[in-house]
Amino acid sequence: MRILLSNDDGYFAPGLAVLAETLSTFANITVVAPERDRSGASNSLTLDRPLILRQSHKGFYYVNGTPTDCVHLAVTGMLDELPDMVISGINHGANMGDDTIYSGTVAAATEGFLLGIPSIAVSLVSASKGNYLTAAKVVADLVKRYQKSAFPAPILMNVNVPDIPYESIKGIETTRLGKRHRAEAVVKSENPRGQTVYWIGAAGAAQDAGEGTDFNAINHDRVSLTPLQMDLTQFAQLSATKHWLEA
Amino acid sequence: MRILLSNDDGYFAPGLAVLAETLSTFANITVVAPERDRSGASNSLTLDRPLILRQSHKGFYYVNGTPTDCVHLAVTGMLDELPDMVISGINHGANMGDDTIYSGTVAAATEGFLLGIPSIAVSLVSASKGNYLTAAKVVADLVKRYQKSAFPAPILMNVNVPDIPYESIKGIETTRLGKRHRAEAVVKSENPRGQTVYWIGAAGAAQDAGEGTDFNAINHDRVSLTPLQMDLTQFAQLSATKHWLEA
Amino acid sequence: MRILLSNDDGYFAPGLAVLAETLSTFANITVVAPERDRSGASNSLTLDRPLILRQSHKGFYYVNGTPTDCVHLAVTGMLDELPDMVISGINHGANMGDDTIYSGTVAAATEGFLLGIPSIAVSLVSASKGNYLTAAKVVADLVKRYQKSAFPAPILMNVNVPDIPYESIKGIETTRLGKRHRAEAVVKSENPRGQTVYWIGAAGAAQDAGEGTDFNAINHDRVSLTPLQMDLTQFAQLSATKHWLEA
Amino acid sequence: MRILLSNDDGYFAPGLAVLAETLSTFANITVVAPERDRSGASNSLTLDRPLILRQSHKGFYYVNGTPTDCVHLAVTGMLDELPDMVISGINHGANMGDDTIYSGTVAAATEGFLLGIPSIAVSLVSASKGNYLTAAKVVADLVKRYQKSAFPAPILMNVNVPDIPYESIKGIETTRLGKRHRAEAVVKSENPRGQTVYWIGAAGAAQDAGEGTDFNAINHDRVSLTPLQMDLTQFAQLSATKHWLEA
């Protein structure tokens, strides 16, 4: 089985290293990741300059571009054979609820999915205790399950893992994305040259963290697995919109 | 009525200028847009450095950040009063089908929507003939319609306009997003220093452009209006995923 | 007379506009400047991506690159005829003493000089009162003097102008560069994500501001004009170095 | 002896690794280098955003900034004790003649020098055969010589080493910088979106490569050592300039 790995924290990130090591025990791994931290990159594509591919001492490839660029370049131009799966992560920190819109981790997996390949994004919630191995083992479990019983394609899975030992995990729950409160306001500051500058503030706290959401699963020490789709059409509003236009 | 305008082509883009001029005849306009072309920026947020806000000779504000940064900064920190609407565009080129995932134009409107404000993204398909005024008039029509009859909030509308005179437009159609074929492969090239470089290739041609899609509306000289949503959960797959996990 | 103008504050900077307007009364002006503020860019060249040339509503060209890129592109590829002179500025703030090493304003003029064209860098010291017109008139005086009596080529002149009305200027003084004290330490701070970040601190105060220096001229309300050269060889140390190596 | 190492090729560059390993046998090494390739960065300083310091698996520190930023941050804010020497390199490719103006390798050493610390920039000419160890040994020789017999401070040395085995080196020559011919013109190209783009062309060939220059030393398989200075004043022109102004 050939797996393409990427992330948004950069090719040197510890979460990526642990994931690559764990998966390489039973799969053929190629890493193509950004040369620097691109957290918050969302699905951005680099259109105003070409990309350069380099290789690190570990054999990891890295690209002067976004997570989406990495997967796009690997799949459409670099790899001789299509990967059987694209996995992005292990992200340092959660990607739940509205985070998925901004996340470069989810974006790398999304690009695999849009190119027709089953894809998984995996994030370690909080990450302060650094239980990357827990997340790596969870991914290995999912991949092995997929090898035995292929999920009806196409798939795009968003996986969030609590930052606790593997043994303490209380199962995997299929979830919907929760909702966050509005993000914190920008943080106004001044640089040493006396200019006013603004930092993007923290994400909002969970607003809809009820039964069935990713937030709720994590709060109960369970892995959250949310199947995603990329058609942004608001189907439920199509007919109301039509009426509004014609009124 | 207070309208916040942004785009992804940069604060100096002709489409933005035409839109601002058209809307300012009946609304209070504030422009906050990127200082340079950020096409393809998607929903990326700038987290590794603070933003600086400057003002051009026209009174337009510009920010050394992404389209999402612009709207986020304006709404959460800069404007004294919340805008009644966020409008992003007029983009130079279509944002249909899967383009919406990568588009900075759609992202700026999305940020307004996620912050609780009715938002519209507007793009001029092809744009080679430069009928920005057509698109500006279409947006003005929609805004005036909204003033008379508020759409049940919240709304996020993706509007694509054919690049033809206003008089030639054959109506507005409520559509779903079509699908594109897989993107073209990266274009391999060499820079003058002899390094191999890769350009991201063109978007794929329309694959699903059938009845009811945005592609179809445009092909028939109609404005396409697609209501969007930002919950990426694949609800239709929740139960299959659950079964797969438990099998 | 054909003059190529550039700067490091960006093509939209007020100092550049005033300079272009003043010089265009008697010379043929082309502006090619960075698309965004590139203060502190020094002589950096963009080697990892190609440059794009765009034109603003005023007819100014702007480039997604450094000040050096702008002059290099204009002279080696864009202009049909070589300019008779390259002028960079009017910078917002002084470029005296060691500043010249880091300055993008000086770098743009340096690039003209290295390409064989007489070049002037001009900066408005302090700039808080905004007497850009004073600096523009001083440059016009120098250019007219040069038209009547060509300086033995090649030349690279670094001009600093006090931020006072033209009538208050007490002459032009030929100066050597002064020296600054060591720069201030980096300013340690924390971003909203809790990461430690460091801002480059302010330049040091003048250390050698004695008779004959640029600092001294400015302190006496005189324009400072320093002829520069770009051979960094420390000729005075050649023989001592040889002895040291052979000892 | 405490040595601060930096470069402009990025903290992962093979030349830096070889240099660090060679010097660490007899000196206390700290590496602070750019997180990505910043060739051509010259003395640029990052003023519009703060810097972040990270540490790689090897213990090397890396910074999201320029070579100058790295040394500036290390010396003015990060290191508890001042280094006894700053060494920048081993650059992949020559830094001779006018290259020194644009070079990030030279710039990192320059920053050490301007902060009062003896500094060396070292480059491997051509570098296609990868004899980094030759250059590392040459630097080790120079440092050991300096330990025995301190050069009269302050010093800034620009060292270029032929890409041949250490045993084939025919001595070290104290040189002046040569001159290059005008750089090649920009290379006009088109990106896949049909936009005209311009790549900065190659550096010019050697024009003054005569007896006593760095080019000449390299051409004879000798190491070139050029003492540099950073006062750009063209002293030889001061009096002619004065006359010109007063004529």
Side-chain angles (χ1 to χ4, degrees):
Chain A
M1 186 181 200
R2 290 182 304 275
I3 300 180
L4 172 65
L5 292 190
S6 194
N7 75 352
D8 73 349
D9 290 330
Y11 73 95
F12 44 76
L16 178 61
V18 172
L19 184 59
E21 201 176 323
T22 302
L23 297 180
S24 64
T25 60
F26 66 95
N28 192 339
I29 300 296
T30 304
V31 174
V32 184
E35 70 172 0
R36 58 191 181 93
D37 184 357
R38 298 302 294 260
S39 296
S42 189
N43 303 83
S44 58
L45 270 171
T46 300
L47 302 177
D48 64 347
R49 61 176 174 81
L51 305 169
I52 293 181
L53 189 68
R54 294 188 176 87
Q55 198 168 14
S56 84
H57 67 289
K58 277 185 160 171
F60 289 11
Y61 292 95
Y62 57 97
V63 174
N64 56 346
T66 65
T68 300
D69 289 336
C70 291
V71 172
H72 193 95
L73 168 55
V75 172
T76 78
M78 170 199 159
L79 297 172
D80 290 329
E81 293 185 279
L82 283 191
D84 299 302
M85 191 172 269
V86 172
I87 305 181
S88 170
I90 303 166
N91 190 58
H92 178 87
N95 279 304
M96 301 193 289
D98 316 325
D99 301 345
T100 49
I101 303 291
Y102 306 105
S103 166
T105 305
V106 174
T110 298
E111 191 65 13
F113 171 73
L114 289 174
L115 291 166
I117 304 161
S119 298
I120 298 175
V122 57
S123 305
L124 185 63
V125 178
S126 143
S128 61
K129 297 196 208 80
N131 286 290
Y132 289 113
L133 198 54
T134 303
K137 283 181 178 169
V138 165
V139 172
D141 291 347
L142 288 171
V143 174
K144 285 173 182 167
R145 175 173 289 269
Y146 181 84
Q147 284 179 307
K148 279 193 298 191
S149 149
F151 194 87
I155 55 161
L156 172 58
M157 284 182 182
N158 187 43
V159 177
N160 282 273
V161 180
D163 189 8
I164 56 179
Y166 183 74
E167 295 72 32
S168 308
I169 293 285
K170 304 214 174 90
I172 304 190
E173 182 178 346
T174 304
T175 58
R176 61 180 164 87
L177 298 174
K179 292 269 174 287
R180 288 192 182 278
H181 280 283
R182 219 179 104 148
E184 298 291 316
V186 289
V187 178
K188 203 170 171 171
S189 178
E190 200 174 87
N191 72 17
R193 261 147 287 280
Q195 292 175 298
T196 300
V197 301
Y198 301 87
W199 290 93
I200 296 291
Q207 177 175 34
D208 168 13
E211 187 73 24
T213 65
D214 44 6
F215 293 113
N216 188 267
I218 291 296
N219 289 344
H220 290 83
D221 287 352
R222 294 193 288 265
V223 171
S224 164
L225 186 158
T226 313
L228 300 184
Q229 54 86 33
M230 281 296 139
D231 184 341
L232 303 180
T233 309
Q234 170 64 294
F235 286 98
Q237 252 180 20
L238 281 181
S239 114
T241 304
K242 197 159 179 295
H243 290 313
W244 178 77
L245 265 179
E246 290 164 358
Chain B
M1 187 182 200
R2 288 180 306 274
I3 300 180
L4 172 65
L5 292 190
S6 194
N7 75 352
D8 74 348
D9 290 330
Y11 73 95
F12 44 77
L16 178 61
V18 172
L19 185 58
E21 201 176 323
T22 301
L23 297 180
S24 63
T25 60
F26 66 95
N28 192 339
I29 301 297
T30 304
V31 173
V32 184
E35 68 171 1
R36 58 191 181 94
D37 185 357
R38 298 302 294 259
S39 296
S42 189
N43 304 81
S44 59
L45 270 172
T46 301
L47 302 177
D48 64 347
R49 61 177 174 81
L51 306 168
I52 293 181
L53 189 68
R54 294 188 177 88
Q55 198 169 13
S56 83
H57 66 289
K58 278 185 159 171
F60 289 11
Y61 292 95
Y62 57 97
V63 174
N64 57 346
T66 66
T68 300
D69 290 336
C70 291
V71 173
H72 193 96
L73 168 54
V75 171
T76 77
M78 170 198 158
L79 298 172
D80 291 329
E81 292 185 280
L82 281 191
D84 299 301
M85 191 172 269
V86 172
I87 304 181
S88 171
I90 302 165
N91 191 57
H92 178 87
N95 279 304
M96 301 191 289
D98 315 325
D99 301 345
T100 48
I101 303 291
Y102 305 105
S103 166
T105 305
V106 174
T110 298
E111 191 67 13
F113 172 73
L114 289 174
L115 292 166
I117 303 161
S119 297
I120 298 175
V122 57
S123 305
L124 185 64
V125 178
S126 144
S128 62
K129 297 197 207 81
N131 287 291
Y132 289 114
L133 198 55
T134 304
K137 283 181 179 171
V138 166
V139 172
D141 291 347
L142 289 172
V143 174
K144 285 172 183 169
R145 175 173 288 270
Y146 180 84
Q147 284 179 306
K148 278 193 297 192
S149 149
F151 194 88
I155 55 162
L156 172 58
M157 285 181 183
N158 186 43
V159 177
N160 282 273
V161 180
D163 189 8
I164 55 179
Y166 183 74
E167 295 72 32
S168 308
I169 294 284
K170 305 215 173 92
I172 304 189
E173 182 178 345
T174 304
T175 58
R176 61 180 164 87
L177 298 173
K179 293 268 173 287
R180 289 191 182 277
H181 280 284
R182 221 179 103 148
E184 299 290 315
V186 288
V187 178
K188 204 172 172 170
S189 177
E190 201 174 85
N191 71 19
R193 261 146 287 280
Q195 292 175 299
T196 300
V197 301
Y198 301 87
W199 289 94
I200 296 291
Q207 178 174 34
D208 169 12
E211 188 72 24
T213 66
D214 43 6
F215 292 114
N216 188 266
I218 291 295
N219 289 344
H220 291 82
D221 287 352
R222 293 193 287 266
V223 171
S224 164
L225 186 158
T226 313
L228 300 184
Q229 54 86 32
M230 282 295 140
D231 184 341
L232 303 180
T233 309
Q234 171 64 293
F235 285 98
Q237 250 180 23
L238 281 181
S239 114
T241 303
K242 197 158 180 294
H243 289 314
W244 177 77
L245 266 179
E246 289 163 359
Chain C
M1 186 182 200
R2 289 182 304 275
I3 300 179
L4 172 64
L5 293 190
S6 195
N7 74 351
D8 74 348
D9 290 330
Y11 74 94
F12 44 76
L16 178 61
V18 172
L19 184 58
E21 201 177 323
T22 302
L23 296 180
S24 64
T25 60
F26 66 95
N28 192 338
I29 300 297
T30 305
V31 174
V32 184
E35 69 172 0
R36 58 191 181 94
D37 184 359
R38 297 302 293 259
S39 297
S42 190
N43 303 82
S44 59
L45 270 172
T46 300
L47 302 177
D48 64 346
R49 61 176 173 82
L51 305 169
I52 293 181
L53 189 68
R54 293 189 178 87
Q55 198 169 14
S56 83
H57 67 289
K58 277 186 161 172
F60 289 11
Y61 292 96
Y62 57 97
V63 174
N64 56 346
T66 66
T68 299
D69 289 336
C70 291
V71 173
H72 193 95
L73 169 55
V75 172
T76 78
M78 169 201 160
L79 297 173
D80 291 329
E81 292 185 278
L82 283 191
D84 300 300
M85 192 172 267
V86 173
I87 304 181
S88 170
I90 304 165
N91 190 58
H92 178 87
N95 278 303
M96 301 193 290
D98 317 325
D99 301 344
T100 49
I101 303 291
Y102 305 105
S103 166
T105 305
V106 174
T110 297
E111 191 66 13
F113 172 72
L114 289 174
L115 291 167
I117 303 161
S119 297
I120 299 175
V122 56
S123 304
L124 186 65
V125 178
S126 144
S128 62
K129 296 195 208 81
N131 287 291
Y132 289 113
L133 198 54
T134 303
K137 284 181 178 172
V138 165
V139 172
D141 291 347
L142 289 171
V143 174
K144 286 172 182 169
R145 175 172 288 271
Y146 180 84
Q147 283 179 309
K148 278 195 294 190
S149 151
F151 194 88
I155 53 161
L156 173 57
M157 286 181 182
N158 187 40
V159 177
N160 281 273
V161 180
D163 190 7
I164 56 179
Y166 183 73
E167 296 72 31
S168 308
I169 294 285
K170 305 216 173 87
I172 303 190
E173 182 178 344
T174 305
T175 57
R176 62 181 164 85
L177 298 173
K179 293 270 173 288
R180 289 190 182 278
H181 281 284
R182 221 178 103 150
E184 299 290 315
V186 289
V187 178
K188 204 171 171 171
S189 176
E190 200 174 86
N191 71 18
R193 260 147 288 280
Q195 292 176 299
T196 301
V197 301
Y198 301 87
W199 290 93
I200 297 291
Q207 176 175 35
D208 169 12
E211 189 72 24
T213 64
D214 45 4
F215 291 115
N216 188 266
I218 291 296
N219 289 344
H220 291 82
D221 286 352
R222 293 193 288 265
V223 170
S224 164
L225 186 158
T226 312
L228 300 184
Q229 54 86 33
M230 281 296 139
D231 185 340
L232 303 180
T233 309
Q234 169 65 292
F235 286 97
Q237 251 180 22
L238 281 180
S239 118
T241 303
K242 199 159 178 295
H243 289 314
W244 177 77
L245 266 179
E246 290 163 358
Chain D
M1 187 182 200
R2 289 181 305 274
I3 300 180
L4 172 64
L5 292 189
S6 194
N7 74 353
D8 73 349
D9 290 330
Y11 73 95
F12 45 75
L16 178 62
V18 173
L19 185 59
E21 201 175 323
T22 302
L23 296 180
S24 64
T25 60
F26 67 95
N28 192 338
I29 301 298
T30 305
V31 173
V32 184
E35 69 172 0
R36 58 190 180 95
D37 185 357
R38 297 302 294 260
S39 297
S42 190
N43 303 82
S44 59
L45 271 172
T46 300
L47 302 177
D48 64 346
R49 60 176 174 82
L51 306 168
I52 292 181
L53 190 68
R54 294 188 176 86
Q55 198 169 13
S56 83
H57 67 289
K58 277 185 160 173
F60 289 10
Y61 292 96
Y62 57 97
V63 174
N64 56 346
T66 66
T68 300
D69 289 337
C70 291
V71 173
H72 193 96
L73 168 55
V75 172
T76 78
M78 169 199 159
L79 297 172
D80 290 330
E81 292 185 278
L82 283 190
D84 299 301
M85 192 172 268
V86 172
I87 304 182
S88 170
I90 302 165
N91 190 57
H92 178 87
N95 279 304
M96 302 192 289
D98 316 326
D99 301 346
T100 48
I101 304 290
Y102 306 105
S103 166
T105 305
V106 174
T110 297
E111 191 66 13
F113 172 72
L114 289 174
L115 292 167
I117 303 161
S119 297
I120 297 175
V122 57
S123 305
L124 186 64
V125 178
S126 144
S128 61
K129 297 196 210 81
N131 286 292
Y132 289 113
L133 198 54
T134 304
K137 283 181 178 172
V138 166
V139 172
D141 292 346
L142 289 171
V143 173
K144 285 172 181 167
R145 175 172 287 270
Y146 181 84
Q147 284 180 309
K148 278 195 296 190
S149 152
F151 193 86
I155 54 162
L156 172 57
M157 285 180 182
N158 187 41
V159 177
N160 281 273
V161 180
D163 188 8
I164 56 179
Y166 183 74
E167 295 72 32
S168 308
I169 293 283
K170 304 215 172 91
I172 304 189
E173 183 179 344
T174 304
T175 58
R176 61 182 163 86
L177 298 174
K179 293 269 173 289
R180 289 191 182 277
H181 280 285
R182 220 178 104 147
E184 298 290 316
V186 289
V187 178
K188 204 170 169 171
S189 177
E190 200 174 85
N191 71 18
R193 260 148 287 279
Q195 292 176 299
T196 301
V197 301
Y198 302 88
W199 289 93
I200 296 291
Q207 177 174 36
D208 170 12
E211 188 73 22
T213 64
D214 44 4
F215 291 115
N216 188 266
I218 291 296
N219 289 344
H220 290 83
D221 286 353
R222 294 193 287 266
V223 171
S224 164
L225 186 157
T226 313
L228 300 184
Q229 55 86 33
M230 281 296 140
D231 184 341
L232 303 180
T233 310
Q234 170 66 293
F235 285 98
Q237 252 180 21
L238 281 181
S239 115
T241 304
K242 199 160 177 294
H243 289 314
W244 178 77
L245 265 179
E246 290 164 0

